[in-house]
Amino acid sequence: MKRLGILQKWNNHIDSFSPYFFFPFILVLYFSVSLFDFGKVEYFEANKNILWPLLVGLVSYLAAVHIVQKKNWMFPSFGLKFLKGKTVYFLYALGFIGLVSYIIMLVTGQIGITDESVRRHLDPKLNFLSSFLWFSVLFLICQRVVNEHPLTKQRKRTYLIILFIILVLLVLMGYRTPIAIICFTCLIVFHYTIRRIKLSWLLTFLFVVGLALSLFGFFRVVTEDPTKQFNSHEGPDVQRSEEEVDRDLILIRKINETPKWVRGLTEASVTGRIVLSKLMEYTDKHGYMHGKLHEGIFSTILPGEQLSPRMEITKMVNSLTIEKGKYITRPGRTTTPTLLGQFYVEGGYLAIIIGFALYGMILSMLYNQMKSSGLASYQTVSYAFITTIFMISIHTGLLDLVFLLMIGYAIVSGGIERRKTII
């Protein structure tokens, strides 16, 4: 009864999606789930303590949020006030470009869910441009929801059908990230404009969506065509001692004692924990990158062969395990560095402090704008979207140019469309 009373108090007094609570909560939850590794951490010898980077990131983030909230800082209009009310036309243009790109991908058989080898080799330009379809639809629908609240049943039905179609298209492509972005952005907009989401409801939603996305990822793995070299699970061909081979066989048997589908439930966070530990180990041996990883986000659009940031991360972590006959990430695939890993490889704890403080400042400034303009405003859409992107980057890192462009649009358009309302 006492526990129920505490939960009820939290339900009544905590804003589940405030910058003070939501991002730190997901960060801690993500690495807490990674404790259920079923022997994989021991198998890959990921022995670095990730607790200190986690605590440093949390403290710097919360300090930045506190300062921005106290100062009530917000983003400016960037001198573009003359575009107020016209940003929607840009979304229509992006949506058209994305739709054409999606149609070309579907017609040419680039349906990623059919096999992992297809999903990993989608046309990069078409894949980049097609992302603007779900982005524009998500923003347009959320914008209409906040402007037209309360919605009629007919409008609710229409918007849900459109979102369902977009989700089906994303499933065909085999990508989980945009699906998660749509689900959580809509949930946050719903929370601030229609009905408050209690903490207990949020936990339920996290469990259901997390379970669905984990099983989706598991489905992608079990439906791979094993006859294709790209889908091979064989380790690197290296000379190893008999003792090392026997040790690994024992650990593999220990891992396999847990069914694959159960391991699949925590696989994302376990992989993140292993990668973070290995990146810390790598920097101990080779030093920090001092900005070169983030430079790669923009260099990949230049002509010629370029190494993407995630390919760079994959190369780094695999270099520590190949000589032991193991791949953390199989050849042809890329590794998600986690947000902590992304900053740590650039400059250790100093980079984590700067990066997480920047995250805290951005979310807190958007939160202030939303409160200033009123919850049923365009600011809610910008805040919901960027909060969701930042949440997902806890696992994936933020290394995709398309997401940086989307964040830039959300911040700039939010500054343009901001209005002052006393609430």
Side-chain angles (χ1 to χ4, degrees):
M1 291 296 291
K2 188 175 181 180
R3 290 179 181 176
L4 289 175
I6 294 173
L7 183 59
Q8 185 65 39
K9 187 178 291 186
W10 283 4
N11 276 333
N12 294 332
H13 297 288
I14 290 181
D15 179 359
S16 302
F17 297 102
S18 72
Y20 270 118
F21 180 79
F22 186 64
F23 182 84
F25 173 73
I26 297 297
L27 181 66
V28 172
L29 179 65
Y30 175 82
F31 284 103
S32 296
V33 170
S34 73
L35 295 175
F36 300 95
D37 64 287
F38 308 109
K40 289 188 70 175
V41 169
E42 183 181 3
Y43 175 73
F44 286 107
E45 300 177 59
N47 301 319
K48 286 289 183 178
N49 188 350
I50 66 169
L51 179 61
W52 292 114
L54 175 61
L55 291 177
V56 169
L58 272 175
V59 171
S60 58
Y61 170 87
L62 290 171
V65 170
H66 177 73
I67 293 171
V68 173
Q69 290 283 287
K70 190 174 181 179
K71 300 290 186 179
N72 198 33
W73 290 338
M74 304 180 204
F75 285 103
S77 62
F78 304 98
L80 299 171
K81 274 295 183 182
F82 64 94
L83 291 176
K84 187 170 184 178
K86 300 181 178 66
T87 55
V88 66
Y89 299 121
F90 188 66
L91 290 173
Y92 283 125
L94 287 178
F96 178 76
I97 293 171
L99 178 60
V100 172
S101 302
Y102 250 122
I103 292 173
I104 295 174
M105 292 176 73
L106 290 173
V107 170
T108 54
Q110 298 184 60
I111 302 176
I113 199 173
T114 57
D115 192 271
E116 186 76 355
S117 61
V118 177
R119 189 176 76 86
R120 295 285 179 174
H121 294 95
L122 298 174
D123 184 292
K125 291 181 180 178
L126 289 175
N127 192 32
F128 178 88
L129 294 174
S130 67
S131 300
F132 293 122
L133 174 60
W134 62 260
F135 172 73
S136 62
V137 170
L138 176 61
F139 259 69
L140 287 168
I141 288 180
C142 288
Q143 189 173 2
R144 284 184 171 272
V145 167
V146 297
N147 290 339
E148 298 170 0
H149 178 70
L151 297 174
T152 63
K153 288 184 179 180
Q154 179 61 40
R155 289 188 181 275
K156 288 179 183 177
R157 192 178 300 113
T158 301
Y159 296 155
L160 287 173
I161 290 173
I162 294 173
L163 284 174
F164 177 76
I165 292 172
I166 294 298
L167 288 173
V168 169
L169 289 174
L170 292 171
V171 169
L172 289 176
M173 291 300 131
Y175 278 108
R176 292 179 293 180
T177 301
I179 296 173
I181 292 172
I182 290 174
C183 290
F184 278 95
T185 300
C186 290
L187 182 71
I188 297 173
V189 171
F190 180 92
H191 169 78
Y192 285 115
T193 62
I194 298 176
R195 188 175 181 182
R196 180 185 174 90
I197 301 293
K198 295 181 179 180
L199 180 59
S200 54
W201 299 351
L202 173 60
L203 294 175
T204 303
F205 185 84
L206 285 171
F207 175 78
V208 172
V209 173
L211 179 63
L213 293 176
S214 296
L215 292 178
F216 182 32
F218 175 72
F219 172 79
R220 287 193 324 206
V221 174
V222 298
T223 56
E224 290 178 351
D225 183 355
T227 62
K228 295 182 178 181
Q229 181 61 31
F230 183 82
N231 295 324
S232 173
H233 284 264
E234 293 183 4
D237 185 15
V238 295
Q239 292 292 329
R240 304 171 64 212
S241 68
E242 191 173 329
E243 290 79 6
E244 289 176 324
V245 172
D246 289 341
R247 174 188 176 276
D248 282 353
L249 287 174
I250 293 172
L251 292 174
I252 289 172
R253 281 196 292 268
K254 178 182 176 182
I255 293 171
N256 290 335
E257 287 175 359
T258 306
K260 277 187 177 181
W261 71 269
V262 176
R263 281 181 275 145
L265 299 179
T266 64
E267 183 175 9
S269 60
V270 170
T271 300
R273 176 184 169 192
I274 292 170
V275 169
L276 173 58
S277 176
K278 287 298 180 182
L279 288 175
M280 294 172 69
E281 182 182 339
Y282 182 90
T283 54
D284 284 348
K285 296 180 179 179
H286 303 281
Y288 302 121
M289 298 188 70
H290 302 298
K292 290 183 180 179
L293 182 71
H294 288 79
E295 184 182 310
I297 298 173
F298 304 96
S299 65
T300 50
I301 64 175
L302 299 175
E305 187 175 347
Q306 305 288 342
L307 194 66
S308 72
R310 284 200 176 85
M311 290 175 65
E312 184 73 46
I313 292 292
T314 302
K315 180 182 175 183
M316 291 162 67
V317 296
N318 276 347
S319 69
L320 299 174
T321 58
I322 285 178
E323 63 182 23
K324 299 178 181 179
K326 307 168 188 176
Y327 289 123
I328 291 179
T329 300
R330 289 179 282 165
R333 290 159 167 79
T334 55
T335 300
T336 52
T338 76
L339 187 61
L340 284 169
Q342 174 181 341
F343 291 134
Y344 193 91
V345 296
E346 293 285 36
Y349 290 106
L350 178 60
I352 289 177
I353 291 171
I354 295 171
F356 273 73
L358 181 62
Y359 264 47
M361 288 181 63
I362 291 173
L363 288 182
S364 197
M365 289 169 75
L366 290 168
Y367 191 68
N368 289 341
Q369 283 183 194
M370 183 178 67
K371 291 190 297 182
S372 173
S373 296
L375 298 182
S377 68
Y378 181 79
Q379 308 307 315
T380 301
V381 184
S382 295
Y383 176 73
F385 179 77
I386 295 179
T387 296
T388 300
I389 291 287
F390 283 3
M391 174 201 73
I392 290 173
S393 72
I394 289 172
H395 170 63
T396 64
L398 190 54
L399 296 170
D400 298 289
L401 179 59
V402 67
F403 286 144
L404 292 176
L405 292 174
M406 290 175 178
I407 289 171
Y409 173 82
I411 291 175
V412 173
S413 62
I416 295 171
E417 301 292 344
R418 182 159 59 94
R419 67 174 188 264
K420 292 183 179 180
T421 303
I422 299 174
I423 58 172

